[in-house]
Amino acid sequence: SKHAVGHELFFLHVYRLLCCVLASEQIASLEDGSSQRSLSTFVLAQEQAEISRLLISVASFFRVKSDDGSWMHGFWLHKSFIGVGEVVEDLDNPTAISQLDLREACNKIMHAGTIHFDVETNDRSKAKYLTSFVYLYGKRGKVNWKATLDVVEFCRAAANVIV
């Protein structure tokens, strides 16, 4: 039997993922340096944990639904949506870069051994915040790969899945 999880939860997690990424810079701008514990340092750690959790949730949910045929129509319709990131399949040959579609991005999220977040610093407050880019690293056999995921574009593609 199929997993009995409604698509509403998938879309809620896509929404939360988008909010988490877009709020990071705004929260960093609140930093005034007066508190003993930096709010942005606390928030940054929470954001990274939450974004990782939501990426895995969205990716695994999409894979289950597209693999079991529930979302086959939506999957084929959006297979051409390749603007969610790019992948270097072999880090020893980094010139071979290909674009990620939504499904392949989900595969990379689920098979990544390491995730790194792109962090920038607010000019005024010097507080750190996350950009929309996430770097995923993994291995296929003995070959190391690296995927660069644009989380905003990933969310845009996921939000357009037809269920």
mmCIF file of all heavy atoms in Angstrom, residues 67-84:
data_model
loop_
_atom_site.group_PDB
_atom_site.id
_atom_site.type_symbol
_atom_site.label_atom_id
_atom_site.label_comp_id
_atom_site.label_asym_id
_atom_site.label_seq_id
_atom_site.Cartn_x
_atom_site.Cartn_y
_atom_site.Cartn_z
ATOM 1 N N ASP A 67 7.618 8.261 -7.601
ATOM 2 C CA ASP A 67 7.963 6.861 -7.862
ATOM 3 C C ASP A 67 6.741 5.947 -7.844
ATOM 4 O O ASP A 67 6.674 4.982 -8.601
ATOM 5 C CB ASP A 67 8.983 6.338 -6.841
ATOM 6 C CG ASP A 67 10.380 6.884 -7.089
ATOM 7 O OD1 ASP A 67 10.586 7.580 -8.107
ATOM 8 O OD2 ASP A 67 11.259 6.620 -6.253
ATOM 9 N N ASP A 68 5.764 6.251 -6.966
ATOM 10 C CA ASP A 68 4.610 5.334 -6.876
ATOM 11 C C ASP A 68 3.522 5.663 -7.902
ATOM 12 O O ASP A 68 2.494 5.001 -7.958
ATOM 13 C CB ASP A 68 4.042 5.280 -5.451
ATOM 14 C CG ASP A 68 3.228 6.510 -5.045
ATOM 15 O OD1 ASP A 68 2.900 7.355 -5.906
ATOM 16 O OD2 ASP A 68 2.915 6.622 -3.842
ATOM 17 N N GLY A 69 3.769 6.676 -8.706
ATOM 18 C CA GLY A 69 2.818 6.993 -9.769
ATOM 19 C C GLY A 69 1.762 8.010 -9.388
ATOM 20 O O GLY A 69 1.026 8.493 -10.238
ATOM 21 N N SER A 70 1.679 8.402 -8.110
ATOM 22 C CA SER A 70 0.653 9.355 -7.682
ATOM 23 C C SER A 70 0.802 10.697 -8.393
ATOM 24 O O SER A 70 -0.184 11.350 -8.695
ATOM 25 C CB SER A 70 0.737 9.635 -6.183
ATOM 26 O OG SER A 70 0.907 8.497 -5.428
ATOM 27 N N TRP A 71 2.061 11.117 -8.586
ATOM 28 C CA TRP A 71 2.299 12.424 -9.172
ATOM 29 C C TRP A 71 2.940 12.319 -10.546
ATOM 30 O O TRP A 71 3.624 13.201 -10.984
ATOM 31 C CB TRP A 71 3.220 13.243 -8.271
ATOM 32 C CG TRP A 71 2.584 13.687 -7.003
ATOM 33 C CD1 TRP A 71 1.317 13.451 -6.584
ATOM 34 C CD2 TRP A 71 3.200 14.461 -5.982
ATOM 35 N NE1 TRP A 71 1.106 14.018 -5.354
ATOM 36 C CE2 TRP A 71 2.244 14.649 -4.961
ATOM 37 C CE3 TRP A 71 4.462 15.014 -5.822
ATOM 38 C CZ2 TRP A 71 2.517 15.371 -3.802
ATOM 39 C CZ3 TRP A 71 4.736 15.728 -4.669
ATOM 40 C CH2 TRP A 71 3.769 15.911 -3.678
ATOM 41 N N MET A 72 2.700 11.218 -11.241
ATOM 42 C CA MET A 72 3.384 11.018 -12.511
ATOM 43 C C MET A 72 3.114 12.163 -13.480
ATOM 44 O O MET A 72 4.009 12.656 -14.141
ATOM 45 C CB MET A 72 2.963 9.687 -13.138
ATOM 46 C CG MET A 72 3.891 9.225 -14.231
ATOM 47 S SD MET A 72 5.638 9.163 -13.725
ATOM 48 C CE MET A 72 5.664 7.713 -12.712
ATOM 49 N N HIS A 73 1.871 12.620 -13.535
ATOM 50 C CA HIS A 73 1.553 13.727 -14.447
ATOM 51 C C HIS A 73 2.371 14.964 -14.083
ATOM 52 O O HIS A 73 2.999 15.579 -14.933
ATOM 53 C CB HIS A 73 0.055 14.043 -14.385
ATOM 54 C CG HIS A 73 -0.331 15.223 -15.210
ATOM 55 N ND1 HIS A 73 -0.209 15.235 -16.576
ATOM 56 C CD2 HIS A 73 -0.792 16.436 -14.865
ATOM 57 C CE1 HIS A 73 -0.605 16.420 -17.031
ATOM 58 N NE2 HIS A 73 -0.958 17.162 -16.011
ATOM 59 N N GLY A 74 2.364 15.303 -12.796
ATOM 60 C CA GLY A 74 3.140 16.462 -12.355
ATOM 61 C C GLY A 74 4.622 16.279 -12.573
ATOM 62 O O GLY A 74 5.324 17.204 -12.948
ATOM 63 N N PHE A 75 5.103 15.054 -12.352
ATOM 64 C CA PHE A 75 6.533 14.780 -12.525
ATOM 65 C C PHE A 75 6.957 14.994 -13.970
ATOM 66 O O PHE A 75 7.939 15.664 -14.242
ATOM 67 C CB PHE A 75 6.841 13.344 -12.079
ATOM 68 C CG PHE A 75 8.201 12.863 -12.504
ATOM 69 C CD1 PHE A 75 9.354 13.474 -12.036
ATOM 70 C CD2 PHE A 75 8.315 11.816 -13.378
ATOM 71 C CE1 PHE A 75 10.597 13.039 -12.431
ATOM 72 C CE2 PHE A 75 9.554 11.373 -13.790
ATOM 73 C CZ PHE A 75 10.695 11.984 -13.319
ATOM 74 N N TRP A 76 6.198 14.452 -14.921
ATOM 75 C CA TRP A 76 6.593 14.608 -16.325
ATOM 76 C C TRP A 76 6.459 16.054 -16.778
ATOM 77 O O TRP A 76 7.274 16.557 -17.540
ATOM 78 C CB TRP A 76 5.765 13.688 -17.228
ATOM 79 C CG TRP A 76 6.172 12.262 -17.071
ATOM 80 C CD1 TRP A 76 5.405 11.250 -16.579
ATOM 81 C CD2 TRP A 76 7.464 11.696 -17.328
ATOM 82 N NE1 TRP A 76 6.139 10.076 -16.525
ATOM 83 C CE2 TRP A 76 7.397 10.333 -16.978
ATOM 84 C CE3 TRP A 76 8.661 12.209 -17.814
ATOM 85 C CZ2 TRP A 76 8.480 9.480 -17.114
ATOM 86 C CZ3 TRP A 76 9.736 11.360 -17.945
ATOM 87 C CH2 TRP A 76 9.650 10.012 -17.605
ATOM 88 N N LEU A 77 5.436 16.716 -16.293
ATOM 89 C CA LEU A 77 5.231 18.110 -16.676
ATOM 90 C C LEU A 77 6.398 18.987 -16.234
ATOM 91 O O LEU A 77 6.816 19.888 -16.933
ATOM 92 C CB LEU A 77 3.927 18.625 -16.054
ATOM 93 C CG LEU A 77 3.519 20.049 -16.445
ATOM 94 C CD1 LEU A 77 3.183 20.113 -17.926
ATOM 95 C CD2 LEU A 77 2.336 20.498 -15.624
ATOM 96 N N HIS A 78 6.960 18.699 -15.066
ATOM 97 C CA HIS A 78 7.997 19.552 -14.501
ATOM 98 C C HIS A 78 9.404 18.982 -14.623
ATOM 99 O O HIS A 78 10.338 19.532 -14.089
ATOM 100 C CB HIS A 78 7.663 19.898 -13.050
ATOM 101 C CG HIS A 78 6.430 20.745 -12.988
ATOM 102 N ND1 HIS A 78 6.455 22.079 -13.286
ATOM 103 C CD2 HIS A 78 5.147 20.437 -12.749
ATOM 104 C CE1 HIS A 78 5.225 22.555 -13.206
ATOM 105 N NE2 HIS A 78 4.420 21.588 -12.888
ATOM 106 N N LYS A 79 9.525 17.868 -15.362
ATOM 107 C CA LYS A 79 10.850 17.278 -15.565
ATOM 108 C C LYS A 79 11.752 18.289 -16.268
ATOM 109 O O LYS A 79 12.947 18.324 -16.060
ATOM 110 C CB LYS A 79 10.725 16.005 -16.405
ATOM 111 C CG LYS A 79 12.038 15.323 -16.689
ATOM 112 C CD LYS A 79 12.254 14.168 -15.748
ATOM 113 C CE LYS A 79 13.482 13.362 -16.122
ATOM 114 N NZ LYS A 79 14.709 13.878 -15.544
ATOM 115 N N SER A 80 11.157 19.135 -17.095
ATOM 116 C CA SER A 80 11.955 20.105 -17.844
ATOM 117 C C SER A 80 12.390 21.290 -16.976
ATOM 118 O O SER A 80 13.188 22.104 -17.405
ATOM 119 C CB SER A 80 11.162 20.622 -19.044
ATOM 120 O OG SER A 80 9.988 21.246 -18.596
ATOM 121 N N PHE A 81 11.859 21.397 -15.770
ATOM 122 C CA PHE A 81 12.229 22.507 -14.889
ATOM 123 C C PHE A 81 13.613 22.224 -14.319
ATOM 124 O O PHE A 81 13.761 21.534 -13.331
ATOM 125 C CB PHE A 81 11.208 22.662 -13.760
ATOM 126 C CG PHE A 81 11.299 23.998 -13.079
ATOM 127 C CD1 PHE A 81 10.293 24.929 -13.197
ATOM 128 C CD2 PHE A 81 12.412 24.342 -12.324
ATOM 129 C CE1 PHE A 81 10.380 26.161 -12.571
ATOM 130 C CE2 PHE A 81 12.524 25.569 -11.702
ATOM 131 C CZ PHE A 81 11.489 26.488 -11.831
ATOM 132 N N ILE A 82 14.639 22.766 -14.985
ATOM 133 C CA ILE A 82 16.003 22.406 -14.600
ATOM 134 C C ILE A 82 16.740 23.529 -13.884
ATOM 135 O O ILE A 82 17.907 23.404 -13.595
ATOM 136 C CB ILE A 82 16.843 21.955 -15.813
ATOM 137 C CG1 ILE A 82 16.898 23.070 -16.859
ATOM 138 C CG2 ILE A 82 16.298 20.657 -16.385
ATOM 139 C CD1 ILE A 82 17.862 22.797 -17.982
ATOM 140 N N GLY A 83 16.060 24.607 -13.565
ATOM 141 C CA GLY A 83 16.756 25.741 -12.977
ATOM 142 C C GLY A 83 16.928 25.712 -11.477
ATOM 143 O O GLY A 83 17.014 26.762 -10.862
ATOM 144 N N VAL A 84 16.973 24.532 -10.862
ATOM 145 C CA VAL A 84 17.049 24.480 -9.395
ATOM 146 C C VAL A 84 18.471 24.364 -8.871
ATOM 147 O O VAL A 84 18.695 24.397 -7.670
ATOM 148 C CB VAL A 84 16.155 23.366 -8.795
ATOM 149 C CG1 VAL A 84 14.707 23.556 -9.231
ATOM 150 C CG2 VAL A 84 16.647 21.992 -9.166
#
